[in-house]
Amino acid sequence: MPSRVDRKSKPEATQVNISGIPIGGPEVIIIAGPCAIENREQLFETAKLVHAAGANILRGGAFKPRTSPYSFQGLGEEGLKYLEEASKETGMPVVTEVLDTRQMELVCKYTDIVQIGSRSMHNYPLLKEAGKCMKPVLFKRGMMATVEEYLLAAEYILCEGNQDVILCERGIRTFDNSTRFTLDLSVVPLLKRLTHLPVIVDPSHGTGLSWMVPAMTKAAIAAGADGIMVEVHNKPLDALSDGQQSLYPEDFAQLVKDIEKVAKAIGRKLFHHKQSPV
Ligand code: PEP
Ligand code: MN
């Protein structure tokens, strides 16, 4: 068991503070937004709707790790600029993925949280770079990584001096392909026991199916997750990436209400942002 992430080396839970939003404390948090930033209107429309529904943090990819090189790759810096603008407009902090060590400085300039995606979990130079950057890191589990490999990879980030790491289960590959991935909710209590780091769940990539996202979100909160990250699109049918797993804004609004109930049932609360102008 790696030492810096180990709960034995730090029995009290680590809380990562994102502009006044504590992740890993008694309250659960919601990260929502589109898979990819496609244009200004799509991002702003979605951002306003998720904010009004109760999301705490806005997500959106500007550099997309796509299976096919012919698929939409993201808007790059233009997307990061829209993200920063949407953050100012709604008051929500933002998270976006970094794919390459050469993008780290640029991405850090625009974002509050740096995301390292599933496909990059084994990219050790990128992990070291994230460990040196001064931003909190949302660190996703590799789709084929054991818990030990995942925690050793997280250790790389902590070793470089960055303690603000948020773990994120996003589904793993198994023999079954009836869903996009198999959302391994059993790692939530396991990671909470083994480490002091906050643990969130991404039920969108975990299932690949928007109709299944609400059930798995509620299950994740019930299992003890400190928050969820969910894909929402103002027009899922027109999405340039991950449309089938993206919630309609109205379904997201209902989900927030349900999260509130599940959180209450297990003695937690949903973090409420101070109302800011939209
Ligand atoms: C994402 O959250 O945008 C993403 C690409 O997810 P993952 O790395 O889990 O596939
Ligand atoms: Mn996606």
Side-chain angles (χ1 to χ4, degrees):
M1 177 73 191
S3 66
R4 286 181 168 83
V5 301
D6 194 337
R7 203 178 262 271
K8 288 197 204 92
S9 72
K10 183 176 178 289
E12 73 281 7
T14 291
Q15 287 191 27
V16 178
N17 194 300
I18 313 292
S19 312
I21 304 171
I23 308 185
E27 292 162 312
V28 302
I29 60 96
I30 302 177
I31 305 174
C35 177
I37 302 157
E38 299 169 7
N39 54 63
R40 198 174 180 281
E41 194 204 332
Q42 169 251 10
L43 180 68
F44 273 63
E45 182 74 14
T46 308
K48 283 179 194 173
L49 290 166
V50 297
H51 181 251
N56 308 118
I57 297 171
L58 177 66
R59 65 151 286 146
F63 295 101
K64 294 303 301 174
R66 303 306 300 278
T67 303
S68 165
Y70 303 114
S71 300
F72 176 60
Q73 302 285 309
L75 295 179
E77 188 169 8
E78 185 190 349
L80 295 175
K81 286 182 177 158
Y82 296 150
L83 194 62
E84 185 185 52
E85 242 187 281
S87 171
K88 285 201 179 116
E89 184 131 338
T90 58
M92 282 186 289
V94 292
V95 55
T96 197
E97 180 165 355
V98 63
L99 282 179
D100 190 303
T101 51
R102 291 165 293 184
Q103 297 159 352
M104 187 62 81
E105 219 181 298
L106 179 74
V107 170
C108 283
K109 209 170 99 189
Y110 292 99
T111 196
D112 301 285
I113 307 172
V114 175
Q115 178 173 325
I116 296 198
S118 190
R119 290 156 192 80
S120 302
M121 192 208 88
H122 297 285
N123 184 342
Y124 302 113
L126 187 62
L127 302 185
K128 287 186 190 171
E129 215 50 53
K132 287 188 205 122
C133 85
M134 301 308 288
K135 299 278 167 136
V137 179
L138 196 170
F139 185 43
K140 289 186 144 195
R141 180 183 181 185
M143 60 183 82
M144 294 198 281
T146 63
V147 167
E148 194 186 7
E149 286 163 344
Y150 184 31
L151 292 180
L152 281 164
E155 188 83 6
Y156 267 89
I157 306 174
L158 270 74
C159 273
E160 297 295 331
N162 192 347
Q163 311 301 309
D164 288 342
V165 175
I166 303 149
L167 300 175
C168 179
E169 165 60 32
R170 49 78 68 211
I172 52 170
R173 282 243 159 97
T174 66
F175 57 87
D176 195 356
N177 59 3
S178 34
T179 49
R180 187 179 181 190
F181 294 98
T182 298
L183 188 60
D184 182 8
L185 287 184
S186 64
V187 298
V188 175
L190 183 60
L191 290 173
K192 298 288 296 178
R193 189 185 178 93
L194 292 176
T195 86
H196 51 84
L197 298 170
V199 179
I200 69 166
V201 170
D202 170 354
S204 305
H205 294 89
T207 63
L209 301 163
S210 60
W211 63 267
M212 209 182 273
V213 167
M216 297 315 285
T217 299
K218 288 177 269 182
I221 299 296
D226 296 306
I228 60 136
M229 175 154 86
V230 62
E231 287 183 342
V232 182
H233 196 288
N234 62 330
K235 293 177 191 156
L237 296 176
D238 298 337
L240 296 181
S241 70
D242 287 350
Q244 319 101 290
Q245 68 192 36
S246 300
L247 292 179
Y248 282 90
E250 53 271 30
D251 295 334
F252 174 71
Q254 179 58 48
L255 181 56
V256 174
K257 293 189 183 127
D258 292 345
I259 293 172
E260 200 125 38
K261 288 187 209 148
V262 177
K264 196 167 165 219
I266 57 161
R268 295 180 88 171
K269 275 200 309 210
L270 181 58
F271 181 84
H272 281 287
H273 54 77
K274 281 184 234 90
Q275 212 56 48
S276 48
V278 260

